[in-house]
Amino acid sequence: MAKKYYIKTFGCQMNVYDSSRIADMLKNEGYIETQKQADADIVLFNTCHIREKAAEKLFSDLGRAKLIADERAENGLDTVIGVAGCVVQAEDEQIIKRAPYVDFAVGPLMYYRIPEILRKVVSDKKHKGIVDTDFPAINKFDFLPENKAQGACSYLAVQEGCNNFCTYCVVPYTRGAECSRTVKEVVEEAKRLIATGTLEINLLGQNVNSYHGEDENGKERNLAYLLHKIAELDGLKRLRYTTSYPADMSDDLIACHKDIDILMPYLHLPVQSGSDKILKAMNRRHTSADYLKIVEKLYAANPKLKMSSDFIVGFPGETDEDFAKTLEVVNKVKYIQAFSFKYSRRPGTPAAVMENQVEEKVKKERLDVLQTLLFDYQTKFNEACVGQTMPVLFEQKGRHKGQLIGRTPYMQNLHIETKGDNMNKIIDVVVTAATTNSLSGKEI
Ligand code: 5AD
Ligand code: SF4
């Protein structure tokens, strides 16, 4: 019987992408996927370290995995337990010290070694836990198998790592310095994804708009160039990119929102805070006025464009006045979706040792106020969609028979009851109802 793998993924879309690439490698090794951990011969946790309690959550998951592995052992079944992702980069050897039954732990830049490590682990039952947290000079993407579309929407990593060093953020330490894939590599991967059924590609990077990959003549090209190249590919219906950094929104990238018709009218552009004092303490290379100017240019390039953002409340030194400036930005941009977080002290980052930390209670109050406002804009936008016709890409089955869930151009979830075979298709739908988090619709 084929061996099975189970992967649990935490965190950002980059981790989701990495997990799918790990799955490709495991499939090449002859494993098949299972959703049931107890059936899995290899259990892998792909971890995130961006906010608190990540390591604690991991160790409790590992404890549970050990219990399941012990039960399997009673039935004569071996289980390999592995960890990947940013917690490995941060905790390093500690993972094996605290959970000695872990067979291997690999950082985000080293997971291409999993097949080799797995073979070693399986053949030598007395092995010690293998830890690999190198920042290699090589390009991990060169070592990954060619990937295929898993559905109609695919992520495509074009850039990894970050040189921005926002003072709250672990990413520059866990994912390393910025590194862009070549234009050819990205275009080839896009072509393969399209040939195997992808209609929508989302170009992915921690700082995707600082993309600077080489073309075939060794010339550095930016994200605007790459978007144009990919938009030319036959068969692609939708294009997106995420996540962008405001200071890297060049004018030619903004112009793509006017010139590329398949570029969806929705952009995730995190502002984090509306206060210039806090933005400076965060080491962000933009003021709130710079940010608003960029949004104005984007809205001018495509009047249908809508925005989303990330926010942090309660960054060290944030006063009520600073927080009020964040609300002002929300009221100006009118985001249709957003992610908002209480500032979380990350060991090893400059903000963790700043003296003027904000009390937990104040953080919570500010988060409540901010989320109420954000949800209000989100709900209003969703309600304004009722009665409109929208092209929806259906990519998921719903809970009930005949129900499908798809995405509108604005990344809203939309449910329909369908009699036809509309999976993995873009269908015009009339929106019939809206809540804060989703829409319902009817085929026309
Ligand atoms: N505390 C709270 N939120 C954080 N983020 C990153 N680091 C922290 C932190 N230490 C948020 C930022 C970022 C998103 C991915 O996570 O808003 O844009
Ligand atoms: Fe972290 Fe800032 Fe880089 Fe985003 S831009 S990954 S928040 S350091």
Side-chain angles (χ1 to χ4, degrees):
M1 213 172 51
K3 299 259 183 203
K4 294 185 176 147
Y5 69 85
Y6 168 88
I7 304 181
K8 184 165 175 183
T9 307
F10 300 87
C12 64
Q13 275 139 354
M14 189 61 98
N15 263 15
V16 175
Y17 177 84
D18 288 342
S19 289
S20 79
R21 305 314 314 274
I22 294 171
D24 289 339
M25 290 189 288
L26 295 175
K27 283 179 200 152
N28 279 358
E29 294 291 299
Y31 287 79
I32 58 171
E33 189 183 4
T34 175
Q35 308 285 345
K36 269 173 78 186
Q37 198 178 329
D39 289 346
D41 303 281
I42 165 160
V43 173
L44 188 90
F45 298 100
N46 193 8
T47 58
C48 168
H49 201 240
I50 201 106
R51 281 172 293 275
E52 251 152 325
K53 301 201 183 97
E56 292 322 304
K57 248 188 264 161
L58 170 66
F59 286 110
S60 87
D61 269 326
L62 285 175
R64 228 171 304 130
K66 167 80 170 118
L67 292 178
I68 296 174
D70 287 346
E71 269 173 40
R72 283 170 51 87
E74 283 172 22
N75 297 318
L77 296 168
D78 289 331
T79 312
V80 174
I81 301 179
V83 188
C86 293
V87 175
V88 178
Q89 207 63 41
E91 295 281 315
D92 214 324
E93 300 282 341
Q94 280 304 319
I95 296 207
I96 308 285
K97 282 212 180 97
R98 277 185 67 180
Y101 48 84
V102 166
D103 295 289
F104 68 85
V106 288
L109 301 186
M110 294 311 295
Y111 69 77
Y112 70 89
R113 284 194 60 216
I114 286 179
E116 168 205 335
I117 292 175
L118 192 57
R119 274 179 248 133
K120 211 181 282 176
V121 165
V122 170
S123 62
D124 172 14
K125 293 215 170 121
K126 294 216 178 69
H127 73 275
K128 292 219 177 64
I130 297 169
V131 181
D132 194 339
T133 50
D134 263 6
F135 275 162
I138 50 144
N139 175 1
K140 78 176 177 196
F141 295 103
D142 291 344
F143 294 85
L144 297 175
E146 290 190 350
N147 63 340
K148 293 200 206 89
Q150 316 256 340
C153 299
S154 295
Y155 288 110
L156 198 175
V158 302
Q159 175 279 344
E160 183 168 19
C162 182
N163 297 344
N164 283 325
F165 290 94
C166 299
T167 53
Y168 50 82
C169 184
V170 290
V171 167
Y173 311 96
T174 60
R175 291 266 174 183
E178 246 182 69
C179 159
S180 295
R181 298 175 74 188
T182 64
V183 172
K184 183 164 180 238
E185 248 180 279
V186 173
V187 170
E188 291 300 316
E189 190 166 325
K191 280 186 186 160
R192 269 197 311 275
L193 292 171
I194 298 165
T196 50
T198 290
L199 299 175
E200 172 176 316
I201 290 182
N202 197 335
L203 301 182
L204 206 58
Q206 260 92 29
N207 197 350
V208 70
N209 61 339
S210 79
Y211 174 84
H212 53 88
E214 285 183 5
D215 70 8
E216 282 175 55
N217 302 317
K219 187 168 178 265
E220 266 197 14
R221 297 294 191 168
N222 65 10
L223 186 66
Y225 178 88
L226 191 67
L227 287 169
H228 278 285
K229 279 269 162 213
I230 294 180
E232 283 166 11
L233 300 177
D234 269 350
L236 189 67
K237 304 284 188 235
R238 291 178 163 193
L239 187 55
R240 305 178 188 272
Y241 59 96
T242 196
T243 293
S244 297
Y245 186 77
D248 295 326
M249 283 311 294
S250 59
D251 284 341
D252 55 352
L253 180 56
I254 293 172
C256 289
H257 288 274
K258 175 162 168 265
D259 300 333
I260 301 181
D261 57 350
I262 64 165
L263 190 59
M264 290 292 99
Y266 173 78
L267 183 68
H268 184 60
L269 188 64
V271 66
Q272 312 295 357
S273 165
S275 152
D276 291 344
K277 180 190 99 191
I278 296 298
L279 288 170
K280 191 152 187 268
M282 287 176 163
N283 192 32
R284 302 278 295 179
R285 287 179 286 115
H286 60 88
T287 61
S288 68
D290 296 334
Y291 180 89
L292 291 169
K293 183 83 205 150
I294 293 162
V295 174
E296 196 184 299
K297 286 189 194 170
L298 283 160
Y299 284 165
N302 180 357
K304 288 192 174 144
L305 186 106
K306 303 287 174 196
M307 306 285 304
S308 81
S309 177
D310 294 340
F311 296 92
I312 297 178
V313 299
F315 185 83
E318 187 188 71
T319 61
D320 285 343
E321 291 77 57
D322 294 317
F323 176 61
K325 291 185 177 144
T326 299
L327 300 179
E328 267 175 42
V329 170
V330 174
N331 284 324
K332 286 189 176 135
V333 181
K334 304 183 177 24
Y335 297 97
I336 62 160
Q337 257 169 62
F339 302 93
S340 44
F341 313 99
K342 290 185 284 185
Y343 167 68
S344 159
R345 273 171 114 154
R346 310 311 293 133
T349 59
V353 289
M354 289 180 181
E355 276 167 13
N356 39 7
Q357 299 287 325
V358 173
E359 256 181 279
E360 193 53 33
K361 186 171 147 273
V362 176
K363 285 188 205 171
K364 190 173 175 317
E365 282 166 9
R366 287 184 190 159
L367 188 66
D368 285 347
V369 171
L370 176 61
Q371 290 188 336
T372 305
L373 185 65
L374 289 169
F375 286 154
D376 197 37
Y377 280 113
Q378 184 172 328
T379 314
K380 276 202 190 110
F381 179 70
N382 285 351
E383 284 169 352
C385 293
V386 175
Q388 288 187 27
T389 302
M390 282 182 164
V392 179
L393 172 47
F394 290 98
E395 41 158 354
Q396 218 186 318
K397 290 207 164 96
R399 249 179 290 157
H400 314 294
K401 197 163 177 278
Q403 194 183 47
L404 290 182
I405 306 171
R407 296 250 192 205
T408 71
Y410 296 106
M411 289 289 252
Q412 297 146 299
N413 276 323
L414 183 143
H415 305 250
I416 55 164
E417 304 294 331
T418 179
K419 289 192 183 70
D421 175 17
N422 287 330
M423 189 69 165
N424 296 329
K425 289 187 190 152
I426 298 173
I427 306 286
D428 275 340
V429 168
V430 182
V431 180
T432 51
T435 66
T436 303
N437 292 315
S438 70
L439 306 177
S440 313
K442 249 192 0 235
E443 284 169 64
I444 47 174

